[in-house]
Amino acid sequence: MIKVSVMYPNSESVKFDTDYYKNSHLPMIQESLGDALKGLELEVGIAGRAPGELAPYVAIAHLKFDSVASFQESFAPHGEKFAADVENYSNVQGELQISEIIAL
């Protein structure tokens, strides 16, 4: 199993509409990816390491897939649609990381 994390860097100038992301963008992704998507989680940053410090990321979405190929095959046909929607919820682009999930 793999996890695709989309991490939105945080700063004083970042705008991020969590309600839109949670209620419109992520449901659009779920519907578009169908059965290839095995799980979806949203984290919203609330603090950094030191008191009063911003969280490094304003939001992180974690999408789970059986394999990298499954992610790529399900995501590719919709990539432009997903990218065009970013302006509706944020002024920053997400950083994407694909990780292997290793159970301990």
Side-chain angles (χ1 to χ4, degrees):
M1 174 118 359
I2 63 144
K3 178 174 18 176
V4 177
S5 299
V6 184
M7 304 169 287
Y8 293 89
N10 200 6
S11 73
E12 294 292 336
S13 62
V14 166
K15 295 179 179 124
F16 194 89
D17 184 339
T18 302
D19 288 333
Y20 182 91
Y21 191 69
K22 181 178 87 172
N23 297 315
S24 295
H25 187 76
L26 292 179
M28 174 185 63
I29 287 178
Q30 284 179 299
E31 182 178 325
S32 297
L33 299 180
D35 292 340
L37 182 64
K38 302 303 181 188
L40 176 62
E41 295 177 340
L42 172 61
E43 297 177 13
V44 177
I46 58 172
R49 185 179 308 193
E53 184 178 82
L54 289 175
Y57 297 98
V58 67
I60 305 172
H62 299 288
L63 298 84
K64 294 180 182 177
F65 297 87
D66 285 332
S67 66
V68 173
S70 175
F71 159 66
Q72 292 171 334
E73 290 167 6
S74 64
F75 195 90
H78 309 285
E80 288 182 24
K81 174 175 68 172
F82 297 159
D85 195 44
V86 172
E87 68 183 28
N88 291 315
Y89 62 86
S90 187
N91 62 344
V92 295
Q93 291 292 321
E95 300 170 353
L96 190 139
Q97 176 173 302
I98 300 174
S99 304
E100 180 180 5
I101 298 173
I102 300 173
L104 301 176

